[in-house]
Amino acid sequence: MRKTLLGAISPEEFLRDYWQKKPLLIRQAWTDFPELIDYARLAQLASRDDVESRLIEYKNQRWSMENGPFSPSRLKRLGETDWTILVQNMNHLVPHISDLLYRFNFLPYTRLDDLMISYAPPGGTVGPHYDSYDVFLLQVGGQKRWQISSDDASGFIEDAPIRVLKDFNPEQEWVLEHGDMLYLPPKYAHYGVALTPGMTYSIGFRAPKTQEIATKFLEYLQDELCLEGMYADPDATVTDAPAKIDAQFVSRISQMLQKVTWDEKNVTEFIGRYFSEPKAHVFFDQTDELLDFDDFAAAVTRHGVILDLKSQMLYTDECIYMNGEVLECEPESQAALQTLANTRQLAAGDYDESLLETLFTYYEYGYLTPSA
Ligand code: SIN
Ligand code: CO
């Protein structure tokens, strides 16, 4: 396994002692950035309409929140202090950020969500709050003071545009410097204030609500269901209250509904599709100048392939799930496709025709490209 960001702690120890249990501060967790994203680059990304961004300010004792995209003139009007700009899904935009997110691959991809980057000058903060999800907060450049509290009982300020706790009683406090990282379990209150200009990389996790899973599963099941039979009542008798829904009718309809069943195979396929589905704002670019199959196959043989930064690929023993679509796997392609899903790339090599054809289809959709 590649180097993790957990310092001296092994992933096994982390999961056993901290994950979803208690906070952990790791000094100098990660400083090995191939390049540093500066504010100008982040601001440029926040000006794009295909990128989710937010601006949070605390001015005159009031919180304000604006959604992007932000024009350069809007950002020029910002003062020297007391604001934060946040850009979501940075792993879709910058290869080394995607690489950083996938260093958390000691947890399954079904749990990983995204890497968000925030930039704040001194005083910049999004206020004391908690999140419903686990988060790792990695400080990059500058210094931020973080205060945390296990007490999440106060409730949020009403009519504020963001979730800010009414009452926050810090139990622990640290100043995070470049490369330091703080892990927080779900619902752990935290309050970060920038002391000097810098960024926070938030590695976020996905934990769907029961209601969400049930609703989405029922949508999936609706497309899968194919039930025989039709309502019948050969024993019907004369009614003197024709508008009444009688018990016999309810019982017959109940019996019909009992035919709605599902098994583990349905649940597995639902998981594969739903958890690999791209987020709502994600679109894949199809380049105009696609290689033809022979040139693509030659490039894969020579250089291998790499998943697009936005692709989500999962698998089971039988199937591959790529960006919400299911593929029953040919046995001869299985090992290579599973490697591609796990490592997000395939090395150069001689691959058989059926694998190359599958890869070519994915390439045409923009889901992967030959490695450079
Ligand atoms: C920040 O980047 O300052 C806020 C991140 C968070 O609290 O989740
Ligand atoms: Co938070």
PDB file of all heavy atoms in Angstrom, residues 83-116:
ATOM      1  N   TRP A  83     -13.010  36.344   5.247  1.00  0.00           N
ATOM      2  CA  TRP A  83     -13.846  35.622   4.285  1.00  0.00           C
ATOM      3  C   TRP A  83     -13.165  34.294   3.940  1.00  0.00           C
ATOM      4  O   TRP A  83     -11.964  34.096   4.164  1.00  0.00           O
ATOM      5  CB  TRP A  83     -14.124  36.450   3.020  1.00  0.00           C
ATOM      6  CG  TRP A  83     -12.901  37.024   2.345  1.00  0.00           C
ATOM      7  CD1 TRP A  83     -12.363  38.259   2.565  1.00  0.00           C
ATOM      8  CD2 TRP A  83     -12.069  36.383   1.353  1.00  0.00           C
ATOM      9  NE1 TRP A  83     -11.251  38.434   1.770  1.00  0.00           N
ATOM     10  CE2 TRP A  83     -11.049  37.290   1.011  1.00  0.00           C
ATOM     11  CE3 TRP A  83     -12.079  35.139   0.726  1.00  0.00           C
ATOM     12  CZ2 TRP A  83     -10.053  37.005   0.081  1.00  0.00           C
ATOM     13  CZ3 TRP A  83     -11.086  34.857  -0.212  1.00  0.00           C
ATOM     14  CH2 TRP A  83     -10.090  35.784  -0.525  1.00  0.00           C
ATOM     15  N   THR A  84     -13.974  33.388   3.419  1.00  0.00           N
ATOM     16  CA  THR A  84     -13.472  32.068   3.012  1.00  0.00           C
ATOM     17  C   THR A  84     -14.112  31.713   1.682  1.00  0.00           C
ATOM     18  O   THR A  84     -15.326  31.866   1.523  1.00  0.00           O
ATOM     19  CB  THR A  84     -13.868  30.985   4.053  1.00  0.00           C
ATOM     20  OG1 THR A  84     -13.390  31.386   5.343  1.00  0.00           O
ATOM     21  CG2 THR A  84     -13.257  29.631   3.708  1.00  0.00           C
ATOM     22  N   ILE A  85     -13.315  31.240   0.755  1.00  0.00           N
ATOM     23  CA  ILE A  85     -13.876  30.740  -0.501  1.00  0.00           C
ATOM     24  C   ILE A  85     -13.642  29.235  -0.543  1.00  0.00           C
ATOM     25  O   ILE A  85     -12.550  28.758  -0.168  1.00  0.00           O
ATOM     26  CB  ILE A  85     -13.295  31.485  -1.723  1.00  0.00           C
ATOM     27  CG1 ILE A  85     -14.077  31.128  -2.983  1.00  0.00           C
ATOM     28  CG2 ILE A  85     -11.821  31.218  -1.923  1.00  0.00           C
ATOM     29  CD1 ILE A  85     -13.893  32.129  -4.101  1.00  0.00           C
ATOM     30  N   LEU A  86     -14.690  28.492  -0.891  1.00  0.00           N
ATOM     31  CA  LEU A  86     -14.591  27.024  -0.843  1.00  0.00           C
ATOM     32  C   LEU A  86     -14.928  26.445  -2.220  1.00  0.00           C
ATOM     33  O   LEU A  86     -15.931  26.842  -2.828  1.00  0.00           O
ATOM     34  CB  LEU A  86     -15.571  26.449   0.183  1.00  0.00           C
ATOM     35  CG  LEU A  86     -15.476  27.052   1.595  1.00  0.00           C
ATOM     36  CD1 LEU A  86     -16.617  28.021   1.839  1.00  0.00           C
ATOM     37  CD2 LEU A  86     -15.478  25.977   2.658  1.00  0.00           C
ATOM     38  N   VAL A  87     -14.100  25.545  -2.703  1.00  0.00           N
ATOM     39  CA  VAL A  87     -14.335  24.914  -4.015  1.00  0.00           C
ATOM     40  C   VAL A  87     -14.432  23.403  -3.812  1.00  0.00           C
ATOM     41  O   VAL A  87     -13.507  22.756  -3.308  1.00  0.00           O
ATOM     42  CB  VAL A  87     -13.221  25.270  -5.021  1.00  0.00           C
ATOM     43  CG1 VAL A  87     -13.520  24.622  -6.377  1.00  0.00           C
ATOM     44  CG2 VAL A  87     -13.083  26.776  -5.174  1.00  0.00           C
ATOM     45  N   GLN A  88     -15.580  22.888  -4.221  1.00  0.00           N
ATOM     46  CA  GLN A  88     -15.927  21.470  -4.026  1.00  0.00           C
ATOM     47  C   GLN A  88     -15.305  20.594  -5.125  1.00  0.00           C
ATOM     48  O   GLN A  88     -14.976  21.094  -6.194  1.00  0.00           O
ATOM     49  CB  GLN A  88     -17.448  21.392  -4.155  1.00  0.00           C
ATOM     50  CG  GLN A  88     -18.144  20.417  -3.286  1.00  0.00           C
ATOM     51  CD  GLN A  88     -18.290  20.863  -1.864  1.00  0.00           C
ATOM     52  OE1 GLN A  88     -18.597  22.017  -1.596  1.00  0.00           O
ATOM     53  NE2 GLN A  88     -18.060  19.949  -0.945  1.00  0.00           N
ATOM     54  N   ASN A  89     -15.211  19.324  -4.878  1.00  0.00           N
ATOM     55  CA  ASN A  89     -14.802  18.323  -5.900  1.00  0.00           C
ATOM     56  C   ASN A  89     -13.513  18.689  -6.632  1.00  0.00           C
ATOM     57  O   ASN A  89     -13.414  18.530  -7.857  1.00  0.00           O
ATOM     58  CB  ASN A  89     -15.918  18.140  -6.946  1.00  0.00           C
ATOM     59  CG  ASN A  89     -17.149  17.516  -6.327  1.00  0.00           C
ATOM     60  OD1 ASN A  89     -17.087  16.429  -5.753  1.00  0.00           O
ATOM     61  ND2 ASN A  89     -18.267  18.208  -6.410  1.00  0.00           N
ATOM     62  N   MET A  90     -12.527  19.186  -5.888  1.00  0.00           N
ATOM     63  CA  MET A  90     -11.248  19.547  -6.527  1.00  0.00           C
ATOM     64  C   MET A  90     -10.558  18.331  -7.131  1.00  0.00           C
ATOM     65  O   MET A  90      -9.741  18.457  -8.033  1.00  0.00           O
ATOM     66  CB  MET A  90     -10.327  20.214  -5.492  1.00  0.00           C
ATOM     67  CG  MET A  90     -10.692  21.629  -5.157  1.00  0.00           C
ATOM     68  SD  MET A  90     -10.432  22.793  -6.521  1.00  0.00           S
ATOM     69  CE  MET A  90      -8.662  22.727  -6.739  1.00  0.00           C
ATOM     70  N   ASN A  91     -10.908  17.150  -6.635  1.00  0.00           N
ATOM     71  CA  ASN A  91     -10.328  15.906  -7.187  1.00  0.00           C
ATOM     72  C   ASN A  91     -10.788  15.652  -8.616  1.00  0.00           C
ATOM     73  O   ASN A  91     -10.173  14.865  -9.324  1.00  0.00           O
ATOM     74  CB  ASN A  91     -10.681  14.717  -6.287  1.00  0.00           C
ATOM     75  CG  ASN A  91     -12.146  14.660  -5.974  1.00  0.00           C
ATOM     76  OD1 ASN A  91     -12.695  15.588  -5.369  1.00  0.00           O
ATOM     77  ND2 ASN A  91     -12.806  13.594  -6.381  1.00  0.00           N
ATOM     78  N   HIS A  92     -11.848  16.305  -9.066  1.00  0.00           N
ATOM     79  CA  HIS A  92     -12.276  16.167 -10.460  1.00  0.00           C
ATOM     80  C   HIS A  92     -11.502  17.101 -11.374  1.00  0.00           C
ATOM     81  O   HIS A  92     -11.613  17.016 -12.591  1.00  0.00           O
ATOM     82  CB  HIS A  92     -13.766  16.496 -10.613  1.00  0.00           C
ATOM     83  CG  HIS A  92     -14.665  15.460 -10.016  1.00  0.00           C
ATOM     84  ND1 HIS A  92     -16.023  15.607  -9.961  1.00  0.00           N
ATOM     85  CD2 HIS A  92     -14.390  14.252  -9.468  1.00  0.00           C
ATOM     86  CE1 HIS A  92     -16.551  14.535  -9.383  1.00  0.00           C
ATOM     87  NE2 HIS A  92     -15.575  13.709  -9.068  1.00  0.00           N
ATOM     88  N   LEU A  93     -10.778  18.027 -10.766  1.00  0.00           N
ATOM     89  CA  LEU A  93     -10.193  19.119 -11.558  1.00  0.00           C
ATOM     90  C   LEU A  93      -8.675  19.060 -11.648  1.00  0.00           C
ATOM     91  O   LEU A  93      -8.100  19.551 -12.607  1.00  0.00           O
ATOM     92  CB  LEU A  93     -10.606  20.463 -10.933  1.00  0.00           C
ATOM     93  CG  LEU A  93     -12.118  20.699 -10.804  1.00  0.00           C
ATOM     94  CD1 LEU A  93     -12.422  21.856  -9.880  1.00  0.00           C
ATOM     95  CD2 LEU A  93     -12.719  20.945 -12.177  1.00  0.00           C
ATOM     96  N   VAL A  94      -8.033  18.509 -10.623  1.00  0.00           N
ATOM     97  CA  VAL A  94      -6.560  18.555 -10.562  1.00  0.00           C
ATOM     98  C   VAL A  94      -6.029  17.146 -10.260  1.00  0.00           C
ATOM     99  O   VAL A  94      -6.362  16.569  -9.220  1.00  0.00           O
ATOM    100  CB  VAL A  94      -6.113  19.539  -9.436  1.00  0.00           C
ATOM    101  CG1 VAL A  94      -4.596  19.646  -9.388  1.00  0.00           C
ATOM    102  CG2 VAL A  94      -6.742  20.908  -9.629  1.00  0.00           C
ATOM    103  N   PRO A  95      -5.205  16.593 -11.173  1.00  0.00           N
ATOM    104  CA  PRO A  95      -4.766  15.205 -10.980  1.00  0.00           C
ATOM    105  C   PRO A  95      -4.103  14.919  -9.625  1.00  0.00           C
ATOM    106  O   PRO A  95      -4.414  13.914  -8.992  1.00  0.00           O
ATOM    107  CB  PRO A  95      -3.788  14.980 -12.135  1.00  0.00           C
ATOM    108  CG  PRO A  95      -4.249  15.927 -13.199  1.00  0.00           C
ATOM    109  CD  PRO A  95      -4.779  17.131 -12.478  1.00  0.00           C
ATOM    110  N   HIS A  96      -3.225  15.805  -9.148  1.00  0.00           N
ATOM    111  CA  HIS A  96      -2.549  15.438  -7.892  1.00  0.00           C
ATOM    112  C   HIS A  96      -3.499  15.524  -6.684  1.00  0.00           C
ATOM    113  O   HIS A  96      -3.270  14.886  -5.655  1.00  0.00           O
ATOM    114  CB  HIS A  96      -1.236  16.228  -7.675  1.00  0.00           C
ATOM    115  CG  HIS A  96      -1.407  17.581  -7.069  1.00  0.00           C
ATOM    116  ND1 HIS A  96      -1.461  18.735  -7.805  1.00  0.00           N
ATOM    117  CD2 HIS A  96      -1.525  17.975  -5.774  1.00  0.00           C
ATOM    118  CE1 HIS A  96      -1.596  19.768  -7.001  1.00  0.00           C
ATOM    119  NE2 HIS A  96      -1.647  19.333  -5.760  1.00  0.00           N
ATOM    120  N   ILE A  97      -4.588  16.279  -6.838  1.00  0.00           N
ATOM    121  CA  ILE A  97      -5.581  16.331  -5.757  1.00  0.00           C
ATOM    122  C   ILE A  97      -6.381  15.018  -5.744  1.00  0.00           C
ATOM    123  O   ILE A  97      -6.700  14.459  -4.691  1.00  0.00           O
ATOM    124  CB  ILE A  97      -6.515  17.552  -5.934  1.00  0.00           C
ATOM    125  CG1 ILE A  97      -5.709  18.846  -5.828  1.00  0.00           C
ATOM    126  CG2 ILE A  97      -7.657  17.529  -4.928  1.00  0.00           C
ATOM    127  CD1 ILE A  97      -5.105  19.108  -4.479  1.00  0.00           C
ATOM    128  N   SER A  98      -6.672  14.499  -6.933  1.00  0.00           N
ATOM    129  CA  SER A  98      -7.340  13.200  -7.023  1.00  0.00           C
ATOM    130  C   SER A  98      -6.449  12.132  -6.383  1.00  0.00           C
ATOM    131  O   SER A  98      -6.904  11.291  -5.604  1.00  0.00           O
ATOM    132  CB  SER A  98      -7.604  12.885  -8.496  1.00  0.00           C
ATOM    133  OG  SER A  98      -8.038  11.578  -8.645  1.00  0.00           O
ATOM    134  N   ASP A  99      -5.159  12.209  -6.691  1.00  0.00           N
ATOM    135  CA  ASP A  99      -4.205  11.258  -6.130  1.00  0.00           C
ATOM    136  C   ASP A  99      -4.202  11.319  -4.592  1.00  0.00           C
ATOM    137  O   ASP A  99      -4.169  10.302  -3.908  1.00  0.00           O
ATOM    138  CB  ASP A  99      -2.826  11.615  -6.695  1.00  0.00           C
ATOM    139  CG  ASP A  99      -1.855  10.483  -6.505  1.00  0.00           C
ATOM    140  OD1 ASP A  99      -2.234   9.350  -6.830  1.00  0.00           O
ATOM    141  OD2 ASP A  99      -0.743  10.733  -6.005  1.00  0.00           O
ATOM    142  N   LEU A 100      -4.284  12.538  -4.075  1.00  0.00           N
ATOM    143  CA  LEU A 100      -4.302  12.726  -2.621  1.00  0.00           C
ATOM    144  C   LEU A 100      -5.566  12.099  -2.019  1.00  0.00           C
ATOM    145  O   LEU A 100      -5.510  11.386  -1.014  1.00  0.00           O
ATOM    146  CB  LEU A 100      -4.265  14.233  -2.339  1.00  0.00           C
ATOM    147  CG  LEU A 100      -3.967  14.709  -0.934  1.00  0.00           C
ATOM    148  CD1 LEU A 100      -2.639  14.175  -0.440  1.00  0.00           C
ATOM    149  CD2 LEU A 100      -3.930  16.243  -0.919  1.00  0.00           C
ATOM    150  N   LEU A 101      -6.716  12.340  -2.657  1.00  0.00           N
ATOM    151  CA  LEU A 101      -7.973  11.761  -2.162  1.00  0.00           C
ATOM    152  C   LEU A 101      -7.872  10.232  -2.127  1.00  0.00           C
ATOM    153  O   LEU A 101      -8.260   9.598  -1.140  1.00  0.00           O
ATOM    154  CB  LEU A 101      -9.140  12.194  -3.063  1.00  0.00           C
ATOM    155  CG  LEU A 101     -10.490  11.564  -2.743  1.00  0.00           C
ATOM    156  CD1 LEU A 101     -11.029  12.052  -1.395  1.00  0.00           C
ATOM    157  CD2 LEU A 101     -11.518  11.867  -3.831  1.00  0.00           C
ATOM    158  N   TYR A 102      -7.339   9.647  -3.192  1.00  0.00           N
ATOM    159  CA  TYR A 102      -7.303   8.186  -3.264  1.00  0.00           C
ATOM    160  C   TYR A 102      -6.206   7.581  -2.383  1.00  0.00           C
ATOM    161  O   TYR A 102      -6.079   6.373  -2.316  1.00  0.00           O
ATOM    162  CB  TYR A 102      -7.237   7.723  -4.726  1.00  0.00           C
ATOM    163  CG  TYR A 102      -8.572   7.942  -5.410  1.00  0.00           C
ATOM    164  CD1 TYR A 102      -8.741   8.913  -6.381  1.00  0.00           C
ATOM    165  CD2 TYR A 102      -9.687   7.205  -5.015  1.00  0.00           C
ATOM    166  CE1 TYR A 102      -9.985   9.133  -6.966  1.00  0.00           C
ATOM    167  CE2 TYR A 102     -10.928   7.423  -5.588  1.00  0.00           C
ATOM    168  CZ  TYR A 102     -11.066   8.382  -6.562  1.00  0.00           C
ATOM    169  OH  TYR A 102     -12.302   8.605  -7.120  1.00  0.00           O
ATOM    170  N   ARG A 103      -5.422   8.413  -1.695  1.00  0.00           N
ATOM    171  CA  ARG A 103      -4.526   7.867  -0.666  1.00  0.00           C
ATOM    172  C   ARG A 103      -5.334   7.383   0.535  1.00  0.00           C
ATOM    173  O   ARG A 103      -4.810   6.712   1.410  1.00  0.00           O
ATOM    174  CB  ARG A 103      -3.497   8.903  -0.233  1.00  0.00           C
ATOM    175  CG  ARG A 103      -2.422   8.968  -1.278  1.00  0.00           C
ATOM    176  CD  ARG A 103      -1.282   9.851  -0.943  1.00  0.00           C
ATOM    177  NE  ARG A 103      -0.465   9.928  -2.125  1.00  0.00           N
ATOM    178  CZ  ARG A 103       0.574   9.142  -2.393  1.00  0.00           C
ATOM    179  NH1 ARG A 103       0.970   8.252  -1.508  1.00  0.00           N
ATOM    180  NH2 ARG A 103       1.229   9.259  -3.528  1.00  0.00           N
ATOM    181  N   PHE A 104      -6.599   7.758   0.570  1.00  0.00           N
ATOM    182  CA  PHE A 104      -7.466   7.264   1.648  1.00  0.00           C
ATOM    183  C   PHE A 104      -8.132   5.957   1.234  1.00  0.00           C
ATOM    184  O   PHE A 104      -9.185   5.599   1.727  1.00  0.00           O
ATOM    185  CB  PHE A 104      -8.492   8.338   2.024  1.00  0.00           C
ATOM    186  CG  PHE A 104      -7.856   9.503   2.718  1.00  0.00           C
ATOM    187  CD1 PHE A 104      -7.268  10.527   1.982  1.00  0.00           C
ATOM    188  CD2 PHE A 104      -7.777   9.554   4.096  1.00  0.00           C
ATOM    189  CE1 PHE A 104      -6.631  11.588   2.613  1.00  0.00           C
ATOM    190  CE2 PHE A 104      -7.150  10.612   4.742  1.00  0.00           C
ATOM    191  CZ  PHE A 104      -6.570  11.621   3.990  1.00  0.00           C
ATOM    192  N   ASN A 105      -7.464   5.237   0.320  1.00  0.00           N
ATOM    193  CA  ASN A 105      -8.075   4.002  -0.205  1.00  0.00           C
ATOM    194  C   ASN A 105      -7.926   2.803   0.731  1.00  0.00           C
ATOM    195  O   ASN A 105      -8.178   1.684   0.326  1.00  0.00           O
ATOM    196  CB  ASN A 105      -7.559   3.667  -1.608  1.00  0.00           C
ATOM    197  CG  ASN A 105      -6.076   3.408  -1.618  1.00  0.00           C
ATOM    198  OD1 ASN A 105      -5.430   3.429  -0.578  1.00  0.00           O
ATOM    199  ND2 ASN A 105      -5.521   3.164  -2.797  1.00  0.00           N
ATOM    200  N   PHE A 106      -7.559   3.076   1.991  1.00  0.00           N
ATOM    201  CA  PHE A 106      -7.684   1.997   2.987  1.00  0.00           C
ATOM    202  C   PHE A 106      -9.152   1.880   3.409  1.00  0.00           C
ATOM    203  O   PHE A 106      -9.516   0.951   4.120  1.00  0.00           O
ATOM    204  CB  PHE A 106      -6.750   2.228   4.198  1.00  0.00           C
ATOM    205  CG  PHE A 106      -6.920   3.551   4.873  1.00  0.00           C
ATOM    206  CD1 PHE A 106      -7.842   3.710   5.892  1.00  0.00           C
ATOM    207  CD2 PHE A 106      -6.154   4.642   4.481  1.00  0.00           C
ATOM    208  CE1 PHE A 106      -8.007   4.930   6.512  1.00  0.00           C
ATOM    209  CE2 PHE A 106      -6.310   5.878   5.103  1.00  0.00           C
ATOM    210  CZ  PHE A 106      -7.239   6.023   6.113  1.00  0.00           C
ATOM    211  N   LEU A 107      -9.969   2.837   2.957  1.00  0.00           N
ATOM    212  CA  LEU A 107     -11.420   2.728   3.084  1.00  0.00           C
ATOM    213  C   LEU A 107     -11.989   2.523   1.680  1.00  0.00           C
ATOM    214  O   LEU A 107     -11.401   2.972   0.693  1.00  0.00           O
ATOM    215  CB  LEU A 107     -11.986   4.024   3.687  1.00  0.00           C
ATOM    216  CG  LEU A 107     -11.739   4.137   5.185  1.00  0.00           C
ATOM    217  CD1 LEU A 107     -11.706   5.574   5.633  1.00  0.00           C
ATOM    218  CD2 LEU A 107     -12.800   3.361   5.950  1.00  0.00           C
ATOM    219  N   PRO A 108     -13.152   1.853   1.560  1.00  0.00           N
ATOM    220  CA  PRO A 108     -13.668   1.582   0.213  1.00  0.00           C
ATOM    221  C   PRO A 108     -14.131   2.846  -0.513  1.00  0.00           C
ATOM    222  O   PRO A 108     -14.536   3.820   0.123  1.00  0.00           O
ATOM    223  CB  PRO A 108     -14.850   0.640   0.472  1.00  0.00           C
ATOM    224  CG  PRO A 108     -15.154   0.740   1.913  1.00  0.00           C
ATOM    225  CD  PRO A 108     -13.955   1.253   2.628  1.00  0.00           C
ATOM    226  N   TYR A 109     -14.075   2.804  -1.838  1.00  0.00           N
ATOM    227  CA  TYR A 109     -14.471   3.965  -2.641  1.00  0.00           C
ATOM    228  C   TYR A 109     -15.942   4.316  -2.457  1.00  0.00           C
ATOM    229  O   TYR A 109     -16.347   5.442  -2.728  1.00  0.00           O
ATOM    230  CB  TYR A 109     -14.190   3.700  -4.128  1.00  0.00           C
ATOM    231  CG  TYR A 109     -12.722   3.582  -4.482  1.00  0.00           C
ATOM    232  CD1 TYR A 109     -12.323   2.946  -5.653  1.00  0.00           C
ATOM    233  CD2 TYR A 109     -11.740   4.104  -3.652  1.00  0.00           C
ATOM    234  CE1 TYR A 109     -10.986   2.831  -5.989  1.00  0.00           C
ATOM    235  CE2 TYR A 109     -10.404   3.996  -3.969  1.00  0.00           C
ATOM    236  CZ  TYR A 109     -10.022   3.357  -5.142  1.00  0.00           C
ATOM    237  OH  TYR A 109      -8.711   3.249  -5.474  1.00  0.00           O
ATOM    238  N   THR A 110     -16.758   3.330  -2.032  1.00  0.00           N
ATOM    239  CA  THR A 110     -18.167   3.639  -1.772  1.00  0.00           C
ATOM    240  C   THR A 110     -18.302   4.653  -0.627  1.00  0.00           C
ATOM    241  O   THR A 110     -19.351   5.276  -0.470  1.00  0.00           O
ATOM    242  CB  THR A 110     -18.945   2.374  -1.365  1.00  0.00           C
ATOM    243  OG1 THR A 110     -18.160   1.653  -0.417  1.00  0.00           O
ATOM    244  CG2 THR A 110     -19.240   1.503  -2.573  1.00  0.00           C
ATOM    245  N   ARG A 111     -17.257   4.807   0.182  1.00  0.00           N
ATOM    246  CA  ARG A 111     -17.322   5.726   1.320  1.00  0.00           C
ATOM    247  C   ARG A 111     -16.653   7.071   1.041  1.00  0.00           C
ATOM    248  O   ARG A 111     -16.920   8.061   1.702  1.00  0.00           O
ATOM    249  CB  ARG A 111     -16.645   5.082   2.543  1.00  0.00           C
ATOM    250  CG  ARG A 111     -17.406   3.958   3.142  1.00  0.00           C
ATOM    251  CD  ARG A 111     -18.641   4.430   3.902  1.00  0.00           C
ATOM    252  NE  ARG A 111     -18.364   4.681   5.306  1.00  0.00           N
ATOM    253  CZ  ARG A 111     -18.609   5.831   5.933  1.00  0.00           C
ATOM    254  NH1 ARG A 111     -19.107   6.855   5.288  1.00  0.00           N
ATOM    255  NH2 ARG A 111     -18.349   5.966   7.226  1.00  0.00           N
ATOM    256  N   LEU A 112     -15.732   7.097   0.052  1.00  0.00           N
ATOM    257  CA  LEU A 112     -15.022   8.350  -0.232  1.00  0.00           C
ATOM    258  C   LEU A 112     -15.930   9.307  -0.993  1.00  0.00           C
ATOM    259  O   LEU A 112     -16.604   8.899  -1.927  1.00  0.00           O
ATOM    260  CB  LEU A 112     -13.818   8.061  -1.126  1.00  0.00           C
ATOM    261  CG  LEU A 112     -12.491   7.739  -0.468  1.00  0.00           C
ATOM    262  CD1 LEU A 112     -11.409   7.623  -1.538  1.00  0.00           C
ATOM    263  CD2 LEU A 112     -12.112   8.832   0.513  1.00  0.00           C
ATOM    264  N   ASP A 113     -15.915  10.576  -0.629  1.00  0.00           N
ATOM    265  CA  ASP A 113     -16.761  11.520  -1.347  1.00  0.00           C
ATOM    266  C   ASP A 113     -15.924  12.452  -2.216  1.00  0.00           C
ATOM    267  O   ASP A 113     -15.778  12.231  -3.412  1.00  0.00           O
ATOM    268  CB  ASP A 113     -17.625  12.296  -0.357  1.00  0.00           C
ATOM    269  CG  ASP A 113     -18.698  13.100  -1.058  1.00  0.00           C
ATOM    270  OD1 ASP A 113     -18.768  13.051  -2.295  1.00  0.00           O
ATOM    271  OD2 ASP A 113     -19.469  13.796  -0.388  1.00  0.00           O
ATOM    272  N   ASP A 114     -15.350  13.486  -1.620  1.00  0.00           N
ATOM    273  CA  ASP A 114     -14.597  14.418  -2.459  1.00  0.00           C
ATOM    274  C   ASP A 114     -13.549  15.136  -1.645  1.00  0.00           C
ATOM    275  O   ASP A 114     -13.479  14.996  -0.424  1.00  0.00           O
ATOM    276  CB  ASP A 114     -15.538  15.439  -3.116  1.00  0.00           C
ATOM    277  CG  ASP A 114     -15.932  16.567  -2.172  1.00  0.00           C
ATOM    278  OD1 ASP A 114     -16.082  16.304  -0.950  1.00  0.00           O
ATOM    279  OD2 ASP A 114     -16.084  17.698  -2.633  1.00  0.00           O
ATOM    280  N   LEU A 115     -12.721  15.890  -2.366  1.00  0.00           N
ATOM    281  CA  LEU A 115     -11.756  16.748  -1.689  1.00  0.00           C
ATOM    282  C   LEU A 115     -12.116  18.194  -2.027  1.00  0.00           C
ATOM    283  O   LEU A 115     -12.132  18.580  -3.195  1.00  0.00           O
ATOM    284  CB  LEU A 115     -10.330  16.411  -2.125  1.00  0.00           C
ATOM    285  CG  LEU A 115      -9.239  16.992  -1.228  1.00  0.00           C
ATOM    286  CD1 LEU A 115      -7.990  16.133  -1.234  1.00  0.00           C
ATOM    287  CD2 LEU A 115      -8.898  18.428  -1.544  1.00  0.00           C
ATOM    288  N   MET A 116     -12.463  18.933  -0.973  1.00  0.00           N
ATOM    289  CA  MET A 116     -12.831  20.349  -1.133  1.00  0.00           C
ATOM    290  C   MET A 116     -11.647  21.193  -0.677  1.00  0.00           C
ATOM    291  O   MET A 116     -10.957  20.820   0.282  1.00  0.00           O
ATOM    292  CB  MET A 116     -14.047  20.641  -0.242  1.00  0.00           C
ATOM    293  CG  MET A 116     -14.423  22.097  -0.171  1.00  0.00           C
ATOM    294  SD  MET A 116     -15.838  22.347   0.937  1.00  0.00           S
ATOM    295  CE  MET A 116     -15.049  22.383   2.544  1.00  0.00           C
TER     296      MET A 116
END
